[in-house]
Amino acid sequence: QARVVESGGGLVQAGESLNLSCTNFGEVFSMESRGWYRQAPGKQRESVAVIGVGRDIRYADAVKGRFTVSKDPGKETLFLEMKNLQVEDTAVYYCNFQALERRSLSEGGTFYTIDNWGEGTEVTVSS
């Protein structure tokens, strides 16, 4: 069962807007990086908009100025506001909550990450 669930995908025309959201129903960690990724047909998964552990936000050049990522304060919900969608934005959009954890001293005390992926929501933009 998916612990992270995305929603909001659909079919829109170029130039229109669409809002996505995802919620983490699973375990919440003290330090997490949250972000949106997408995978278009025939292409590798790429990052779209990510909020780092330090709350810094990084956008892919292709979406900068058009997409906005945000988090609902106090809730494990992430949003992606997409404006002026283009055909090239067509892809399955995934949400990820990446936890940063530290091993016990007996295990070396090193840091590691745990990825919690949603199953994706499809966005199709037609011309």
Side-chain angles (χ1 to χ4, degrees), residues 2-3 17 21 26 28 41 59-60 64 67 71 74 77-78 80-81 89 92 94 105 120-122:
R3 296 299 187 93
S17 301
S21 65
V28 177
Y59 292 96
K64 192 174 299 182
F67 290 12
K71 179 182 179 298
T77 300
L78 194 68
L80 182 64
E81 181 181 20
D89 295 316
V92 175
Y94 299 91
L105 292 178
T121 183
E122 188 172 359

PDB file of all heavy atoms in Angstrom, residues 2-3 17 21 26 28 41 59-60 64 67 71 74 77-78 80-81 89 92 94 105 120-122:
ATOM      1  N   ALA A   2       0.526   2.172  -0.867  1.00  0.00           N
ATOM      2  CA  ALA A   2       1.280   3.408  -0.978  1.00  0.00           C
ATOM      3  C   ALA A   2       1.109   4.273   0.261  1.00  0.00           C
ATOM      4  O   ALA A   2      -0.003   4.469   0.746  1.00  0.00           O
ATOM      5  CB  ALA A   2       0.836   4.173  -2.215  1.00  0.00           C
ATOM      6  N   ARG A   3       2.228   4.774   0.756  1.00  0.00           N
ATOM      7  CA  ARG A   3       2.187   5.674   1.901  1.00  0.00           C
ATOM      8  C   ARG A   3       2.144   7.132   1.446  1.00  0.00           C
ATOM      9  O   ARG A   3       1.761   8.003   2.216  1.00  0.00           O
ATOM     10  CB  ARG A   3       3.404   5.438   2.781  1.00  0.00           C
ATOM     11  CG  ARG A   3       3.463   4.045   3.418  1.00  0.00           C
ATOM     12  CD  ARG A   3       2.273   3.819   4.320  1.00  0.00           C
ATOM     13  NE  ARG A   3       2.392   2.582   5.068  1.00  0.00           N
ATOM     14  CZ  ARG A   3       2.906   2.494   6.271  1.00  0.00           C
ATOM     15  NH1 ARG A   3       3.336   3.588   6.895  1.00  0.00           N
ATOM     16  NH2 ARG A   3       2.986   1.315   6.880  1.00  0.00           N
ATOM     17  N   SER A  17      -3.732  25.815 -16.634  1.00  0.00           N
ATOM     18  CA  SER A  17      -3.073  25.523 -15.367  1.00  0.00           C
ATOM     19  C   SER A  17      -3.626  24.267 -14.729  1.00  0.00           C
ATOM     20  O   SER A  17      -4.732  23.819 -15.037  1.00  0.00           O
ATOM     21  CB  SER A  17      -3.243  26.707 -14.405  1.00  0.00           C
ATOM     22  OG  SER A  17      -2.702  27.889 -14.942  1.00  0.00           O
ATOM     23  N   SER A  21      -1.268  17.677  -5.838  1.00  0.00           N
ATOM     24  CA  SER A  21      -1.036  17.593  -4.406  1.00  0.00           C
ATOM     25  C   SER A  21      -0.669  16.164  -4.044  1.00  0.00           C
ATOM     26  O   SER A  21      -1.014  15.223  -4.762  1.00  0.00           O
ATOM     27  CB  SER A  21      -2.272  18.025  -3.609  1.00  0.00           C
ATOM     28  OG  SER A  21      -3.350  17.135  -3.817  1.00  0.00           O
ATOM     29  N   GLY A  26       2.354   7.915   5.719  1.00  0.00           N
ATOM     30  CA  GLY A  26       3.246   7.046   6.462  1.00  0.00           C
ATOM     31  C   GLY A  26       3.991   7.760   7.567  1.00  0.00           C
ATOM     32  O   GLY A  26       3.566   8.797   8.069  1.00  0.00           O
ATOM     33  N   VAL A  28       6.535   9.981   9.614  1.00  0.00           N
ATOM     34  CA  VAL A  28       7.099  11.307   9.426  1.00  0.00           C
ATOM     35  C   VAL A  28       8.441  11.380  10.140  1.00  0.00           C
ATOM     36  O   VAL A  28       8.541  11.020  11.309  1.00  0.00           O
ATOM     37  CB  VAL A  28       6.155  12.393   9.971  1.00  0.00           C
ATOM     38  CG1 VAL A  28       6.797  13.769   9.820  1.00  0.00           C
ATOM     39  CG2 VAL A  28       4.829  12.354   9.234  1.00  0.00           C
ATOM     40  N   PRO A  41       7.341   9.875 -21.451  1.00  0.00           N
ATOM     41  CA  PRO A  41       7.550   8.656 -22.238  1.00  0.00           C
ATOM     42  C   PRO A  41       8.910   8.654 -22.928  1.00  0.00           C
ATOM     43  O   PRO A  41       9.271   9.631 -23.586  1.00  0.00           O
ATOM     44  CB  PRO A  41       6.410   8.698 -23.253  1.00  0.00           C
ATOM     45  CG  PRO A  41       5.327   9.456 -22.552  1.00  0.00           C
ATOM     46  CD  PRO A  41       6.068  10.539 -21.815  1.00  0.00           C
ATOM     47  N   TYR A  59      14.229  24.493  -8.716  1.00  0.00           N
ATOM     48  CA  TYR A  59      13.356  24.202  -9.841  1.00  0.00           C
ATOM     49  C   TYR A  59      14.165  23.802 -11.060  1.00  0.00           C
ATOM     50  O   TYR A  59      15.271  24.293 -11.274  1.00  0.00           O
ATOM     51  CB  TYR A  59      12.516  25.416 -10.210  1.00  0.00           C
ATOM     52  CG  TYR A  59      11.482  25.817  -9.194  1.00  0.00           C
ATOM     53  CD1 TYR A  59      11.741  26.815  -8.263  1.00  0.00           C
ATOM     54  CD2 TYR A  59      10.227  25.205  -9.175  1.00  0.00           C
ATOM     55  CE1 TYR A  59      10.788  27.191  -7.336  1.00  0.00           C
ATOM     56  CE2 TYR A  59       9.268  25.576  -8.253  1.00  0.00           C
ATOM     57  CZ  TYR A  59       9.557  26.574  -7.336  1.00  0.00           C
ATOM     58  OH  TYR A  59       8.596  26.942  -6.415  1.00  0.00           O
ATOM     59  N   ALA A  60      13.603  22.935 -11.844  1.00  0.00           N
ATOM     60  CA  ALA A  60      14.223  22.579 -13.103  1.00  0.00           C
ATOM     61  C   ALA A  60      14.105  23.795 -14.019  1.00  0.00           C
ATOM     62  O   ALA A  60      13.116  24.529 -13.966  1.00  0.00           O
ATOM     63  CB  ALA A  60      13.515  21.381 -13.729  1.00  0.00           C
ATOM     64  N   LYS A  64      10.940  26.631 -14.416  1.00  0.00           N
ATOM     65  CA  LYS A  64      11.174  27.835 -13.631  1.00  0.00           C
ATOM     66  C   LYS A  64      10.332  29.002 -14.154  1.00  0.00           C
ATOM     67  O   LYS A  64      10.312  29.286 -15.347  1.00  0.00           O
ATOM     68  CB  LYS A  64      12.651  28.189 -13.661  1.00  0.00           C
ATOM     69  CG  LYS A  64      13.073  29.245 -12.654  1.00  0.00           C
ATOM     70  CD  LYS A  64      14.592  29.419 -12.656  1.00  0.00           C
ATOM     71  CE  LYS A  64      15.292  28.130 -12.262  1.00  0.00           C
ATOM     72  NZ  LYS A  64      16.772  28.286 -12.216  1.00  0.00           N
ATOM     73  N   PHE A  67       6.103  26.917 -12.617  1.00  0.00           N
ATOM     74  CA  PHE A  67       5.680  26.000 -11.556  1.00  0.00           C
ATOM     75  C   PHE A  67       6.063  26.546 -10.190  1.00  0.00           C
ATOM     76  O   PHE A  67       7.101  27.194 -10.035  1.00  0.00           O
ATOM     77  CB  PHE A  67       6.337  24.628 -11.729  1.00  0.00           C
ATOM     78  CG  PHE A  67       5.842  23.841 -12.909  1.00  0.00           C
ATOM     79  CD1 PHE A  67       5.050  24.419 -13.887  1.00  0.00           C
ATOM     80  CD2 PHE A  67       6.179  22.497 -13.031  1.00  0.00           C
ATOM     81  CE1 PHE A  67       4.599  23.687 -14.975  1.00  0.00           C
ATOM     82  CE2 PHE A  67       5.735  21.757 -14.112  1.00  0.00           C
ATOM     83  CZ  PHE A  67       4.950  22.341 -15.083  1.00  0.00           C
ATOM     84  N   LYS A  71       4.426  23.671   0.592  1.00  0.00           N
ATOM     85  CA  LYS A  71       3.993  22.684   1.563  1.00  0.00           C
ATOM     86  C   LYS A  71       2.985  23.310   2.498  1.00  0.00           C
ATOM     87  O   LYS A  71       3.128  24.462   2.903  1.00  0.00           O
ATOM     88  CB  LYS A  71       5.189  22.154   2.366  1.00  0.00           C
ATOM     89  CG  LYS A  71       4.816  21.130   3.427  1.00  0.00           C
ATOM     90  CD  LYS A  71       6.026  20.678   4.210  1.00  0.00           C
ATOM     91  CE  LYS A  71       5.638  19.662   5.278  1.00  0.00           C
ATOM     92  NZ  LYS A  71       4.700  20.251   6.265  1.00  0.00           N
ATOM     93  N   GLY A  74       2.310  22.429   8.873  1.00  0.00           N
ATOM     94  CA  GLY A  74       1.694  21.570   9.869  1.00  0.00           C
ATOM     95  C   GLY A  74       1.099  20.288   9.321  1.00  0.00           C
ATOM     96  O   GLY A  74       0.589  19.473  10.078  1.00  0.00           O
ATOM     97  N   THR A  77       1.600  17.475   3.486  1.00  0.00           N
ATOM     98  CA  THR A  77       1.013  17.620   2.165  1.00  0.00           C
ATOM     99  C   THR A  77       1.842  18.576   1.328  1.00  0.00           C
ATOM    100  O   THR A  77       2.202  19.669   1.784  1.00  0.00           O
ATOM    101  CB  THR A  77      -0.434  18.139   2.257  1.00  0.00           C
ATOM    102  OG1 THR A  77      -1.228  17.218   3.010  1.00  0.00           O
ATOM    103  CG2 THR A  77      -1.034  18.283   0.871  1.00  0.00           C
ATOM    104  N   LEU A  78       2.133  18.180   0.120  1.00  0.00           N
ATOM    105  CA  LEU A  78       2.941  18.967  -0.795  1.00  0.00           C
ATOM    106  C   LEU A  78       2.096  19.342  -2.012  1.00  0.00           C
ATOM    107  O   LEU A  78       1.290  18.539  -2.484  1.00  0.00           O
ATOM    108  CB  LEU A  78       4.166  18.163  -1.230  1.00  0.00           C
ATOM    109  CG  LEU A  78       5.298  18.901  -1.927  1.00  0.00           C
ATOM    110  CD1 LEU A  78       5.978  19.861  -0.945  1.00  0.00           C
ATOM    111  CD2 LEU A  78       6.304  17.896  -2.468  1.00  0.00           C
ATOM    112  N   LEU A  80       1.926  21.377  -6.002  1.00  0.00           N
ATOM    113  CA  LEU A  80       2.651  21.844  -7.175  1.00  0.00           C
ATOM    114  C   LEU A  80       1.660  22.611  -8.037  1.00  0.00           C
ATOM    115  O   LEU A  80       0.738  22.026  -8.605  1.00  0.00           O
ATOM    116  CB  LEU A  80       3.254  20.682  -7.970  1.00  0.00           C
ATOM    117  CG  LEU A  80       4.075  21.100  -9.194  1.00  0.00           C
ATOM    118  CD1 LEU A  80       5.305  21.892  -8.750  1.00  0.00           C
ATOM    119  CD2 LEU A  80       4.495  19.894 -10.014  1.00  0.00           C
ATOM    120  N   GLU A  81       1.872  23.913  -8.127  1.00  0.00           N
ATOM    121  CA  GLU A  81       1.034  24.764  -8.957  1.00  0.00           C
ATOM    122  C   GLU A  81       1.707  24.892 -10.312  1.00  0.00           C
ATOM    123  O   GLU A  81       2.828  25.372 -10.398  1.00  0.00           O
ATOM    124  CB  GLU A  81       0.868  26.140  -8.306  1.00  0.00           C
ATOM    125  CG  GLU A  81      -0.016  27.086  -9.078  1.00  0.00           C
ATOM    126  CD  GLU A  81      -0.137  28.447  -8.421  1.00  0.00           C
ATOM    127  OE1 GLU A  81       0.728  28.794  -7.597  1.00  0.00           O
ATOM    128  OE2 GLU A  81      -1.099  29.172  -8.727  1.00  0.00           O
ATOM    129  N   ASP A  89       5.407  19.274 -21.034  1.00  0.00           N
ATOM    130  CA  ASP A  89       5.209  18.978 -19.618  1.00  0.00           C
ATOM    131  C   ASP A  89       4.472  17.666 -19.407  1.00  0.00           C
ATOM    132  O   ASP A  89       4.308  17.212 -18.274  1.00  0.00           O
ATOM    133  CB  ASP A  89       4.433  20.103 -18.933  1.00  0.00           C
ATOM    134  CG  ASP A  89       5.196  21.414 -18.911  1.00  0.00           C
ATOM    135  OD1 ASP A  89       6.410  21.386 -18.613  1.00  0.00           O
ATOM    136  OD2 ASP A  89       4.586  22.466 -19.181  1.00  0.00           O
ATOM    137  N   VAL A  92       4.242  11.572 -16.205  1.00  0.00           N
ATOM    138  CA  VAL A  92       3.687  11.079 -14.958  1.00  0.00           C
ATOM    139  C   VAL A  92       4.454  11.807 -13.868  1.00  0.00           C
ATOM    140  O   VAL A  92       5.684  11.763 -13.838  1.00  0.00           O
ATOM    141  CB  VAL A  92       3.864   9.555 -14.799  1.00  0.00           C
ATOM    142  CG1 VAL A  92       3.373   9.110 -13.420  1.00  0.00           C
ATOM    143  CG2 VAL A  92       3.093   8.827 -15.890  1.00  0.00           C
ATOM    144  N   TYR A  94       5.536  12.396 -10.015  1.00  0.00           N
ATOM    145  CA  TYR A  94       5.704  11.662  -8.776  1.00  0.00           C
ATOM    146  C   TYR A  94       6.092  12.588  -7.638  1.00  0.00           C
ATOM    147  O   TYR A  94       6.821  13.557  -7.830  1.00  0.00           O
ATOM    148  CB  TYR A  94       6.790  10.594  -8.919  1.00  0.00           C
ATOM    149  CG  TYR A  94       6.512   9.553  -9.975  1.00  0.00           C
ATOM    150  CD1 TYR A  94       6.947   9.726 -11.284  1.00  0.00           C
ATOM    151  CD2 TYR A  94       5.825   8.383  -9.646  1.00  0.00           C
ATOM    152  CE1 TYR A  94       6.700   8.768 -12.250  1.00  0.00           C
ATOM    153  CE2 TYR A  94       5.578   7.417 -10.611  1.00  0.00           C
ATOM    154  CZ  TYR A  94       6.021   7.617 -11.913  1.00  0.00           C
ATOM    155  OH  TYR A  94       5.778   6.659 -12.861  1.00  0.00           O
ATOM    156  N   LEU A 105      25.541   4.668  16.650  1.00  0.00           N
ATOM    157  CA  LEU A 105      26.996   4.717  16.764  1.00  0.00           C
ATOM    158  C   LEU A 105      27.622   3.345  16.543  1.00  0.00           C
ATOM    159  O   LEU A 105      28.715   3.225  15.991  1.00  0.00           O
ATOM    160  CB  LEU A 105      27.399   5.270  18.128  1.00  0.00           C
ATOM    161  CG  LEU A 105      27.063   6.744  18.372  1.00  0.00           C
ATOM    162  CD1 LEU A 105      27.475   7.138  19.777  1.00  0.00           C
ATOM    163  CD2 LEU A 105      27.753   7.623  17.338  1.00  0.00           C
ATOM    164  N   GLY A 120       2.407   8.065  -8.524  1.00  0.00           N
ATOM    165  CA  GLY A 120       2.316   8.978  -9.650  1.00  0.00           C
ATOM    166  C   GLY A 120       0.919   9.392 -10.064  1.00  0.00           C
ATOM    167  O   GLY A 120      -0.059   8.689  -9.816  1.00  0.00           O
ATOM    168  N   THR A 121       0.846  10.541 -10.701  1.00  0.00           N
ATOM    169  CA  THR A 121      -0.403  11.040 -11.268  1.00  0.00           C
ATOM    170  C   THR A 121      -0.063  11.577 -12.656  1.00  0.00           C
ATOM    171  O   THR A 121       0.905  12.310 -12.837  1.00  0.00           O
ATOM    172  CB  THR A 121      -1.035  12.143 -10.385  1.00  0.00           C
ATOM    173  OG1 THR A 121      -2.295  12.538 -10.948  1.00  0.00           O
ATOM    174  CG2 THR A 121      -0.135  13.365 -10.269  1.00  0.00           C
ATOM    175  N   GLU A 122      -0.835  11.181 -13.646  1.00  0.00           N
ATOM    176  CA  GLU A 122      -0.526  11.525 -15.027  1.00  0.00           C
ATOM    177  C   GLU A 122      -1.058  12.884 -15.446  1.00  0.00           C
ATOM    178  O   GLU A 122      -2.217  13.218 -15.204  1.00  0.00           O
ATOM    179  CB  GLU A 122      -1.072  10.442 -15.957  1.00  0.00           C
ATOM    180  CG  GLU A 122      -0.652  10.602 -17.410  1.00  0.00           C
ATOM    181  CD  GLU A 122      -1.053   9.421 -18.255  1.00  0.00           C
ATOM    182  OE1 GLU A 122      -1.645   8.468 -17.717  1.00  0.00           O
ATOM    183  OE2 GLU A 122      -0.765   9.433 -19.468  1.00  0.00           O
TER     184      GLU A 122
END
